[in-house]
Amino acid sequence: MPPFFGELETIHFEGRESQKPLAYRWYDPNHVVLGKPLSEHLRFAIAYWHSLAMNGSDPFGAPTLNRPWMTRSDAMEGAREKADAAFELFRVLDLPFYTFHDRDIAPEGADLKESLKNFQAMVEYLAKKMEGSKAKLLWGTANLFSHPRFMSGAATNPDPDVFAYSATTVKHCMDATKQLGGSNYVLWGGREGYETLLNTDMGRELNHLGRFLNLVVEYKHKIGFDGQILIEPKPKEPTAHQYDFDTATVYGFLKKHGLEGEVKVNLEANHALLAGHSFEHEIATAASLNILGSLDVNRGDPLLGWDTDQFPNDLQAMTLALYQVILGGGIGKGGLNFDAKIRRQSIEPEDLVHAHVGAVDLCARAFLNAAALVEAGELKAAVAERYAGWDKPEAKAMLDGSLTLEQISEKTLANGVNPAPRSGKQERLENLLNRRLF
Ligand SMILES: [Mn+2]
């Protein structure tokens, strides 16, 4: 078997002066910042689906990508060869984690039993590969959206058989994630949504989804899986209206079903954009609600209205996002997963390597910038000064329950309160940010 990634050497940190096309210039995994190594802050992961299982086809055209590991006629042989290529890529990139859907690693069988048998065989194969590799599993997930049986949803499908099929699939995917030492289990509601209310009972579907998620959480505790359960919000695509629209919507859903202490979010940059938010908005929202779980780092194209899943390359946007991660207490058991695909014209396996190296460096550089902003303390001081009025006892009394609305009114009138507008100093702070970026 020829090497799928040529004779590429393992990529290492070489510093900013390196002239090599493939070297980490910013990502020094051992560099200690804010009290721990960069590798522990960032926990980079390679996504099996975009990087190993995609062939470059799109709604308008045939596969374009040169993928020598996708040529076998026997599906299980092909799955093993794909895994061989995956671990070669992990070795070349020298990143700590990977992520997969069940269908990325093993082919669909003739029925559910055969599909699960294929899956379990490949889980054993991955377990063996992991013994000879540094790569660990950041999270596993189930693909409950590609096959036509899921066209009307998985947990929200009007057909209870699809609910049962999906529950069975998730049960086995959770088992596999635990077996492989995964840190998280993710649920992205690919088709949990609807196209038209003319054929949809939305209240019923949402309740079914709530029950499904409770089943997942109950099972997590039953098997002693100590990873996080994560929902990945997305507002639309493939369905017109997706139930897990954004972080705030997911939080309301978790509260309704009593799961706000059990389930967190896996936030994707491009999904935030599709919801009309910035990535940092979604991160700050999740952190404020104590449900920040993990990140899918990528970017969208602001000129396009769909999920382009490009590799991140905007330093300022990523710095602002990671600044909010730091303020929110870090990523914990989560990580930064490259849910990103190379463009259809980037046909060589080596293009995958360049994409990851650039994105890793971009994120590392953004994190170092964000950490420097935190350490300088100027932004934090500006925010503290803006809210300083709330440190006064009479202000605190309005929040701590000691004053009623009537009493606040009486005191306000008696004291002749007359607020003077103060500048929000936005441009000054934006200039500060731009001046500090390196
Ligand atoms: Mn994603």
Side-chain angles (χ1 to χ4, degrees):
M1 177 183 70
F4 295 112
F5 288 89
E7 304 292 343
L8 291 177
E9 291 170 14
T10 298
I11 294 160
H12 297 294
F13 173 71
E14 297 192 14
R16 292 175 217 178
E17 305 311 316
S18 174
Q19 296 302 310
K20 270 197 196 168
L22 288 174
Y24 295 124
R25 288 172 174 72
W26 294 88
Y27 180 56
D28 175 1
N30 301 316
H31 176 63
V32 174
V33 58
L34 300 177
K36 60 182 182 181
L38 215 41
S39 59
E40 289 178 32
H41 283 292
L42 297 171
R43 293 166 60 86
F44 288 121
I46 299 159
Y48 218 99
W49 55 101
H50 281 322
S51 292
L52 283 310
M54 292 260 308
N55 59 20
S57 62
D58 74 6
F60 306 97
T64 56
L65 305 183
N66 170 16
R67 291 289 176 263
W69 57 87
M70 290 172 75
T71 56
R72 297 277 178 164
S73 54
D74 180 89
M76 282 302 284
E77 261 176 41
R80 285 189 289 273
E81 205 155 272
K82 199 198 298 181
D84 295 342
F87 279 79
E88 240 183 73
L89 179 62
F90 305 162
R91 193 269 304 159
V92 170
L93 291 170
D94 199 27
L95 297 178
F97 292 99
Y98 71 105
T99 53
F100 68 78
H101 300 82
D102 55 346
R103 216 51 330 114
D104 304 330
I105 64 164
E108 180 101 20
D111 56 22
L112 181 55
K113 276 187 185 159
E114 192 179 86
S115 293
L116 293 173
K117 193 172 147 227
N118 290 347
F119 178 59
Q120 192 53 41
M122 284 310 301
V123 168
E124 304 298 339
Y125 194 77
L126 292 185
K128 280 242 157 52
K129 303 279 311 182
M130 286 170 79
E131 284 172 16
S133 163
K134 287 198 275 179
K136 297 182 288 291
L137 183 64
L138 183 65
W139 48 263
T141 188
N143 178 333
L144 303 177
F145 45 88
S146 290
H147 191 279
R149 76 175 67 85
F150 303 120
M151 70 179 184
S152 306
T156 63
N157 199 295
D159 181 350
D161 283 352
V162 180
F163 185 105
Y165 195 106
S166 305
T168 308
T169 302
V170 167
K171 184 242 176 238
H172 285 85
C173 271
M174 290 175 73
D175 290 339
T177 301
K178 179 172 185 260
Q179 183 185 337
L180 295 173
S183 299
N184 307 270
Y185 185 82
V186 170
L187 297 115
W188 170 55
R191 296 186 194 272
E192 310 292 23
Y194 68 89
E195 299 296 335
T196 172
L197 286 175
L198 294 175
N199 66 10
T200 302
D201 183 340
M202 186 162 57
R204 176 191 271 269
E205 290 197 0
L206 283 165
N207 285 334
H208 292 182
L209 190 57
R211 181 62 197 139
F212 193 93
L213 197 54
N214 263 294
L215 288 166
V216 166
V217 169
E218 285 163 17
Y219 189 64
K220 167 198 151 145
H221 291 300
K222 173 156 193 265
I223 61 174
F225 174 57
D226 63 2
Q228 306 181 115
I229 303 292
L230 306 175
I231 286 186
E232 182 168 327
K234 188 177 182 182
K236 56 190 167 187
E237 193 199 20
T239 65
H241 304 267
Q242 304 223 167
Y243 294 135
D244 300 329
F245 190 94
D246 61 2
T247 302
T249 309
V250 167
Y251 187 73
F253 175 80
L254 294 177
K255 280 288 270 189
K256 182 179 181 202
H257 295 281
L259 292 168
E260 71 274 19
E262 293 280 2
V263 178
K264 295 185 174 185
V265 282
N266 179 47
L267 296 174
E268 178 171 325
N270 205 161
H271 294 180
L273 184 71
L274 293 177
H277 301 309
S278 62
F279 198 21
E280 69 264 27
H281 166 90
E282 284 291 84
I283 292 167
T285 304
S288 73
L289 295 167
N290 200 27
I291 57 168
L292 178 59
S294 196
L295 301 179
D296 274 6
V297 285
N298 61 13
R299 74 183 153 105
D301 186 326
L303 301 178
L304 304 174
W306 64 90
D307 197 7
T308 59
D309 279 334
Q310 289 164 261
F311 278 84
N313 73 352
D314 182 331
L315 179 63
Q316 181 164 320
M318 190 57 75
T319 301
L320 290 170
L322 296 179
Y323 182 71
Q324 291 302 325
V325 168
I326 296 170
L327 293 188
I331 208 66
K333 285 185 178 181
L336 269 63
N337 174 48
F338 293 113
D339 188 357
K341 59 191 177 199
I342 50 177
R343 298 304 87 189
R344 191 164 177 264
Q345 296 171 59
S346 304
I347 63 174
E348 298 303 336
E350 192 174 310
D351 290 318
L352 271 174
V353 180
H354 283 278
H356 281 89
V357 167
V360 163
D361 261 349
L362 184 277
C363 292
R365 187 175 175 184
F367 188 85
L368 293 171
N369 271 283
L373 286 170
V374 169
E375 281 172 335
E378 296 147 314
L379 292 174
K380 203 176 171 194
V383 173
E385 198 240 313
R386 195 159 179 241
Y387 293 87
W390 287 99
D391 295 337
K392 295 176 186 158
E394 59 269 32
K396 284 183 180 166
M398 291 193 288
L399 299 180
D400 65 12
S402 58
L403 293 178
T404 65
L405 192 65
E406 274 177 304
Q407 288 168 326
I408 292 173
S409 168
E410 280 163 20
K411 284 169 83 79
T412 301
L413 293 170
N415 294 335
V417 171
N418 186 18
R422 294 160 61 216
S423 174
K425 302 178 181 173
Q426 181 172 335
E427 294 76 12
R428 182 174 152 175
L429 297 175
E430 285 169 349
N431 291 354
L432 179 78
L433 171 70
N434 286 334
R435 223 165 58 229
R436 289 272 177 266
L437 282 181
F438 53 81

